[in-house]
């Protein structure tokens, strides 16, 4: 059951959160080139390459999105089972079965993948595709120049006079194909990750001029403004702009990511400095202990121990002789003499016995 008492502001906030999550899924999707923002929260471009031609998906988000599906169109409009005469994507099951729980990023990624693996025919769209259609975002005065230029291109035919989508190169065209020029055909990785700029064919320009009448050609020849308009309405110029914006967005994203890592890097750097200082202190202590170990080791070698034991035996023998001399000189009485003499002789014989056993033990 619906909760009719739920505050309107809370419901609106929840709806905006869902819309934001869908947009984030598009911006974070794994695409050949990152999606570029043409109009925040409303209009996005996804450029990619298929059959050696740069094209783009234009994603328009209605006000009721994601309750209703986004509008996805291909520019320039090319012949493909998934694309109608107006350039709308109609063959995507994810788009056709859209619900509020669908994933915009995955849906767009699936469409790009399909168009790359099943390239469209590079041919002239049907005449119906030249009819301009309403752009709901064109009336927004705050939109950027990029989105304003999109207004001219979302009509597929363009709102400028004389615009036509690029036709296929004639069979007798002098433009070499990859096979004819000896270059290897583009691999799937080239189609997905190529960062080269699209090449503008002379035949494409010639075909656009052929579609113009004599009056339009005369205006184009005499009016520099018309020449600039002719150049700026070229789909190749729009694609180059999209590629430039995509690269700029990607560079900005990487820069922001690096800045986010700066506090962690600073913390790790400080920890490394502390550990290095601690390591230096431990190395000094280790050197002192190694020196002490070497000294003790040299003192406790078998030969050194035997020498020290023989010295102690001689000292005990001399001490007993001193006691005898003191008794003879009358410095000690009989009781004190016996006590000291027995102690010194006992120490002498104990050390002598140890020395004999030490010599008998193999080392």
């Amino acid at each position: 059951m619906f909760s009719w008492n739920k505050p309107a502001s809370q419901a609106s906030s929840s709806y905006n959160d869902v819309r934001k999550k869908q947009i984030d899924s598009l911006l974070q999707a794994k695409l050949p080139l990152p999606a570029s923002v043409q109009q925040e929260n409303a209009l996005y471009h996804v450029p990619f390459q298929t059959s050696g031609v740069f094209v783009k998906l234009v994603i328009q988000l209605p006000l009721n999105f994601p309750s209703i599906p986004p509008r996805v169109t291909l520019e320039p409009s090319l012949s493909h089972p998934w694309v109608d005469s107006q350039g709308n994507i109609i063959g995507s099951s994810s788009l056709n079965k859209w619900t509020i729980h669908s994933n915009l990023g995955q849906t767009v990624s699936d469409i790009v993948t399909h168009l790359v693996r099943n390239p469209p025919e590079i041919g002239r769209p049907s005449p119906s595709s030249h009819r301009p259609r309403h752009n709901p975002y064109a009336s927004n005065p705050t939109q950027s120049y990029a989105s304003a230029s999109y207004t001219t291109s979302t009509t597929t035919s363009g709102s400028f006079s004389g615009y036509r989508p690029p036709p296929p190169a004639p069979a007798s065209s002098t433009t070499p194909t990859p096979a004819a020029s000896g270059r290897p055909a583009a691999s799937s990785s080239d189609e997905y990750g190529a960062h080269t700029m699209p090449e503008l064919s002379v035949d494409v320009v010639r075909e656009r001029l052929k579609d113009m009448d004599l009056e339009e050609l005369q205006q184009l020849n005499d009016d520099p403004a018309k020449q600039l308009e002719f150049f700026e309405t070229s789909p190749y110029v729009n694609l180059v702009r999209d590629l430039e914006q995509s690269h700029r967005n990607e560079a900005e994203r990487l820069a922001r990511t690096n800045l986010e890592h700066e506090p962690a890097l600073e913390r790790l750097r400080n920890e490394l400095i502390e550990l290095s200082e601690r390591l230096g202190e431990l190395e000094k202590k280790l050197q002192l202990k190694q020196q002490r170990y070497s000294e003790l080791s040299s003192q406790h070698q078998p030969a050194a121990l035997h020498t020290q034991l023989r010295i102690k035996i001689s000292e005990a023998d001399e001490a007993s002789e001193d006691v005898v001399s003191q008794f003879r000189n009358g410095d000690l009485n009989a009781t004190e003499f016996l006590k000291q003499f027995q102690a010194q002789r006992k120490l002498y014989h104990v050390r002598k016995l140890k020395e004999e056993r030490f010599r008998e033990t193999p080392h």
Side-chain angles (χ1 to χ4, degrees):
M1 297 295 294
F2 294 101
S3 176
W4 300 103
N5 296 325
K6 188 175 183 180
S9 60
Q10 183 178 355
S12 175
S13 175
S14 176
Y15 188 84
N16 290 335
D17 290 342
V18 175
R19 184 184 181 98
K20 183 177 183 302
K21 288 181 180 179
Q22 291 285 0
I23 295 175
D24 289 342
S25 71
L26 173 63
L27 298 178
Q28 298 171 6
K30 295 182 179 179
L31 298 166
L33 290 170
S36 61
V37 181
Q38 302 301 308
Q39 183 175 342
E40 189 70 30
N41 207 32
L43 186 62
Y44 300 85
H45 285 183
V46 177
F48 62 98
Q49 187 180 19
T50 177
S51 293
V53 176
F54 277 88
V55 295
K56 65 182 175 184
L57 288 181
V58 178
I59 297 94
Q60 302 180 56
L61 306 182
L63 293 177
N64 293 335
F65 174 84
S67 295
I68 62 176
R71 181 181 182 183
V72 183
T73 56
L74 178 68
E75 291 191 356
S77 179
L78 302 175
S79 177
H80 191 277
W82 275 29
V83 184
D84 67 6
S85 60
Q86 301 294 326
N88 298 308
I89 301 297
I90 59 174
S92 169
S93 59
S94 301
L95 198 58
N96 295 336
K97 299 178 181 179
W98 179 270
T99 69
I100 195 172
H101 302 294
S102 299
N103 186 292
L104 178 61
Q106 186 61 50
T107 298
V108 173
S109 177
D110 292 343
I111 295 174
V112 172
T113 300
H114 181 81
L115 293 178
V116 169
R117 294 178 178 175
N118 304 276
E121 296 180 7
I122 312 300
R124 183 189 302 276
S126 61
S128 62
S129 66
H130 298 296
R131 293 195 299 269
R133 58 176 180 266
H134 173 64
N135 179 9
Y137 306 103
S139 60
N140 187 348
T142 62
Q143 66 184 3
S144 64
Y145 177 81
S147 60
S149 65
Y150 166 78
T151 304
T152 67
S153 59
T154 50
T155 61
T156 307
S157 64
S159 59
F160 290 120
S161 172
Y163 172 87
R164 296 295 185 275
S172 59
S173 171
T174 58
T175 303
T177 62
S181 61
R183 295 177 295 180
S187 63
S188 59
S189 61
D190 294 332
E191 295 173 351
Y192 267 89
H195 287 253
T196 56
M197 289 297 181
E199 296 179 0
L200 178 59
S201 171
V202 176
D203 294 327
V204 173
V205 178
R206 185 183 297 114
E207 289 297 327
R208 289 188 63 191
L209 294 175
K210 287 171 60 177
D211 290 338
M212 300 173 66
D213 57 29
L214 183 60
E215 182 179 355
E216 291 175 330
L217 290 172
Q218 187 64 44
Q219 291 178 353
L220 181 62
N221 182 66
D222 299 336
D223 190 350
K226 289 291 183 180
Q227 298 170 9
L228 180 61
E229 179 183 299
F230 180 84
F231 172 76
E232 290 186 342
T233 56
S234 169
Y236 288 90
V237 174
N238 290 332
L239 287 174
V240 170
R241 287 172 178 165
D242 288 340
L243 289 173
E244 179 185 6
Q245 184 62 37
S246 296
H247 295 325
R248 184 180 292 109
N249 292 342
E250 179 66 11
E252 182 178 354
R253 184 189 68 81
L254 291 174
R256 293 182 182 276
T257 301
N258 291 338
L259 289 176
E260 291 174 358
H261 292 322
E262 186 174 4
L265 290 174
E266 186 66 24
R267 176 178 56 81
L268 293 174
R269 185 183 296 109
N270 293 334
E271 291 180 1
L272 180 60
I273 293 174
E274 294 177 1
L275 291 174
S276 299
E277 294 175 352
R278 178 62 176 164
L279 177 61
E281 296 174 359
L282 293 176
E283 286 180 343
K284 292 180 181 178
K285 291 181 179 180
L286 177 61
Q287 291 177 358
L288 294 175
K289 291 184 180 294
Q290 287 178 337
Q291 292 176 1
R292 180 59 178 166
Y293 172 78
S294 300
E295 294 173 359
L296 294 176
S297 297
S298 61
Q299 294 176 7
H300 292 82
Q301 293 292 331
L305 291 174
H306 190 198
T307 301
Q308 293 178 10
L309 183 56
R310 293 174 65 181
I311 293 173
K312 294 298 181 182
I313 292 173
S314 298
E315 290 177 353
D317 189 34
E318 291 177 359
S320 64
E321 292 295 332
D322 289 340
V323 171
V324 173
S325 297
Q326 292 177 15
F327 178 71
R328 288 176 179 175
N329 295 332
D331 296 332
L332 294 175
N333 57 33
T335 303
E336 190 65 26
F337 165 73
L338 290 175
K339 181 180 178 181
Q340 293 186 16
F341 183 77
Q342 288 176 352
Q344 292 297 331
R345 295 311 292 179
K346 179 180 179 181
L347 180 60
Y348 168 80
H349 288 293
V350 169
R351 291 176 176 176
K352 188 66 175 178
L353 180 61
K354 289 182 178 181
E355 193 269 339
E356 292 175 357
R357 290 182 178 178
F358 186 87
R359 282 185 292 131
E360 295 173 356
T361 303
H363 298 290

